[in-house]
Each structure stands twice: as C-alpha cells, then as structure tokens.
C-alpha cells in the first residue's frame, strides 16, 4: 500500500464501498476482486505520478521565483523540467 493520498481516493472508496485500509486489507488477504486489485495497482501508479507533478512544479517555481537572479535561469534545465512535467501530467491523466 502506498500511504500517499491521491486525487482519486474518494472515488475509489465510493466505487468499492469501503475505506482504503479495508480495500488494501482485502487485497493482502487475497479476497479482493480482480477489479479491486487492478484499481489498487493503478492507485499506486497515480500516487507516484501525482508526486512527480508536485516535485517538478515546485522545482520550476523555485527556479523562477521573484528573488532569484534571472541570469541564473538555464534554458536547458527549464526545457527538461517542462518535458518531465508534461510526462508526469500525461501519466497522471492516463
């Protein structure tokens, strides 16, 4: 189980009629349906994707904050961050 919250936790709990702890307990006890097992696998992936979106967004915000010297900006690093953010957003949305 990933302890990181995701944007879809509430929907998952509603769809399967139980809290996340109970859903993961069912998966660990091997009593979960194949649909629940797959949903929990996708939730783990979503948690990683959403975390990466947050990390890259914060990196970009720090690099472009008002108190930074604009001459310190590196176009190559910003381009890489933009690509990484796009990949993370695509993964999250898929």
């Amino acid at each position: 189980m990933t302890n990181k919250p995701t944007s879809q936790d509430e929907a998952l709990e509603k769809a399967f009629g139980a809290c996340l702890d109970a859903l993961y307990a069912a998966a660990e006890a091997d009593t979960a349906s194949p649909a629940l097992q797959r949903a929990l696998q996708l939730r783990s992936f979503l948690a990683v994707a959403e975390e990466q979106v947050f990390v890259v967004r914060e990196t970009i915000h720090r690099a472009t904050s008002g108190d930074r010297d604009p001459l310190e900006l590196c176009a190559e690093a910003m381009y890489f961050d933009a690509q990484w953010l796009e990949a993370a957003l695509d993964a999250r949305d898929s």
Side-chain angles (χ1 to χ4, degrees):
M1 172 178 169
T2 184
N3 292 327
K4 296 175 180 141
T6 74
S7 62
Q8 297 303 308
D9 287 351
E10 188 176 316
L12 187 62
E13 290 174 337
K14 185 177 180 182
F16 289 98
C19 68
L20 284 175
D21 289 339
L23 297 176
Y24 275 103
E28 289 176 15
D30 206 25
T31 59
S33 68
L36 175 56
Q37 291 174 0
R38 183 67 177 144
L40 293 175
Q41 291 169 346
L42 291 171
R43 181 189 176 275
S44 295
F45 179 77
L46 178 61
V48 171
E50 288 181 345
E51 179 183 26
Q52 288 305 305
V53 169
F54 176 79
V55 167
V56 175
R57 186 190 71 202
E58 290 304 305
T59 299
I60 292 170
H61 284 171
R62 279 193 307 276
T64 59
S65 70
D67 61 344
R68 296 276 314 254
D69 181 353
L71 297 176
E72 291 178 2
L73 283 176
C74 173
E76 186 176 332
M78 293 297 290
Y79 178 73
F80 177 77
D81 287 338
Q83 286 183 311
W84 189 241
L85 182 59
E86 182 177 354
L89 289 169
D90 286 346
R92 181 200 64 189
D93 296 342
S94 297

